[in-house]
Amino acid sequence: MTPFEKKLLTLRQQLIGARYFNALTALDFAMAYHTGTRKDGVTPEFQHQVEIALYALTLADVKYREEVVATIMLHDVREDYHITDHEVASLFDDAGFAARVSRAVENMTKEWRGEKKDEVGLFEDMANDPIASIAKGCDRIHNLGSMVGVFKIEKQKVYLEEVDHLFIPMLKTARKKFAYQHNAYMNILHMMRSQCELIRAIHEASK
């Protein structure tokens, strides 16, 4: 069994144990599309979603935990595979769950069929969404942790600047708005800042 298969099995077991069957539906739907490899040319594409979800499940005080996992599974399908908002919502029988997840996925989608959203508006929408704000924070943590040695230094620096100017302000706004998720946001912020400090130290050492 490969490392990816082990992580996927662990995630499935956790979702089944928690009776997160809507999240399992989202997992199976998204995995059918994410069949390639990541930019390193080796890692399975869907390992990104699996590892983000496993981290998200460790966070304390997340109100819509299953919705966060489902959103993580689906967060790239609109942008990368042109899945419509209706298709996302129709995955789930529970109308409330479907509305929350489809909205969160839409709020995380920065480009739709070649049309890019305004960046400021995109992060404002996420800051006002208790699900998308958590999922996007977890997503960026994973991107930071997997980009060294894969992305060029210039692109890594862009990601670091985005953390300072977009992600941290978004998370701080969401933390105030959704105070019941305070501990989750604090964990994400700590992890994000720690990764940025490490990456900047690596850049400095390589000069």
Side-chain angles (χ1 to χ4, degrees), residues 56-75:
L57 286 169
T58 69
L59 297 173
D61 302 329
V62 174
K63 183 175 181 179
Y64 299 104
R65 191 176 300 277
E66 185 175 9
E67 286 90 336
V68 166
V69 174
T71 298
I72 288 167
M73 294 296 106
L74 300 165
H75 78 277

Side-chain angles (χ1 to χ4, degrees), residues 4-39:
F4 167 65
E5 290 170 335
K6 290 178 181 177
K7 290 173 182 178
L8 179 60
L9 178 60
T10 298
L11 178 59
R12 283 189 181 279
Q13 289 173 334
Q14 289 192 31
L15 297 181
I16 291 169
R19 301 185 66 81
Y20 286 173
F21 301 120
N22 283 319
L24 281 166
T25 296
L27 184 157
D28 288 330
F29 179 85
M31 191 166 64
Y33 287 91
H34 294 287
T35 58
T37 58
R38 301 207 74 201
K39 292 183 179 180

Side-chain angles (χ1 to χ4, degrees), residues 55 59-62 134 180-189:
Y55 167 60
L59 297 173
D61 302 329
V62 174
I134 294 287
Y180 49 81
Q181 298 189 142
H182 174 87
N183 288 329
Y185 291 119
M186 290 302 294
N187 187 308
I188 293 169
L189 284 163

Side-chain angles (χ1 to χ4, degrees), residues 89-147:
S90 66
L91 290 171
F92 313 110
D93 294 330
D94 183 316
F97 188 96
R100 289 189 292 274
V101 171
S102 62
R103 181 177 63 247
V105 172
E106 173 59 27
N107 286 340
M108 289 182 68
T109 302
K110 62 180 180 288
E111 184 175 335
W112 171 243
R113 294 183 176 177
E115 185 174 341
K116 291 186 177 181
K117 291 182 182 178
D118 171 70
E119 195 171 66
V120 173
L122 174 69
F123 276 83
E124 285 180 352
D125 287 343
M126 288 189 288
N128 288 296
D129 186 328
I131 298 166
S133 54
I134 294 287
K136 188 64 174 179
C138 295
D139 176 47
R140 180 47 58 114
I141 285 172
H142 189 267
N143 286 331
L144 291 169
S146 59
M147 72 179 185

Side-chain angles (χ1 to χ4, degrees), residues 29-30 34 73-83 88:
F29 179 85
H34 294 287
M73 294 296 106
L74 300 165
H75 78 277
D76 282 331
V77 297
R78 281 179 54 73
E79 184 173 329
D80 293 346
Y81 299 102
H82 302 159
I83 302 302
V88 170

Side-chain angles (χ1 to χ4, degrees), residues 47-56 72 75 135 138-139 142:
Q47 187 165 318
H48 174 62
Q49 282 78 3
V50 170
E51 291 182 347
I52 298 171
L54 287 170
Y55 167 60
I72 288 167
H75 78 277
C138 295
D139 176 47
H142 189 267

